[in-house]
């Protein structure tokens, strides 16, 4: 499930916007995983088309449950 929290629009540079939301899913063992996400949209100059999308995930709170793939 994805729950929208907010949308941030720029005050000057109209080529960017940010969507802030909560992402939830259930693992195979039934564990509920919840974390916050921000997606940074960069629009193509002069259009309303997305030229780039950067995903920003705050997984710190769930690493103990889901694991940290960056640790060796």
């Amino acid at each position: 499930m994805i729950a929208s929290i907010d949308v941030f629009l720029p005050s000057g540079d109209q080529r960017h916007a940010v969507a802030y939301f909560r992402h939830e899913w259930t693992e195979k063992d039934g564990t509920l995983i919840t974390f916050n996400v921000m997606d940074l949209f960069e629009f193509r100059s002069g259009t309303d088309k997305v030229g780039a999308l950067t995903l920003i995930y705050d997984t710190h709170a769930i690493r103990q449950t889901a694991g940290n793939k960056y640790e060796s």
Side-chain angles (χ1 to χ4, degrees):
M1 178 178 90
I2 297 174
S4 176
I5 297 172
D6 210 339
V7 174
F8 301 94
L9 300 174
S11 61
D13 179 354
Q14 296 301 312
R15 293 183 51 210
H16 294 89
V18 175
Y20 179 38
F21 54 96
R22 181 170 296 108
H23 189 87
E24 299 177 345
W25 81 83
T26 303
E27 296 213 346
K28 290 179 184 179
D29 69 358
T31 302
L32 178 64
I33 302 291
T34 303
F35 59 93
N36 292 341
V37 179
M38 295 182 89
D39 288 354
L40 171 61
F41 297 87
E42 182 178 343
F43 299 96
R44 294 180 187 161
S45 184
T47 75
D48 61 354
K49 306 292 184 204
V50 176
L53 175 62
T54 302
L55 308 177
I56 305 164
Y57 293 89
D58 178 11
T59 60
H60 177 47
I62 65 166
R63 285 187 197 142
Q64 195 170 41
T65 303
N68 182 354
K69 70 178 185 178
Y70 300 108
E71 289 181 352
S72 53

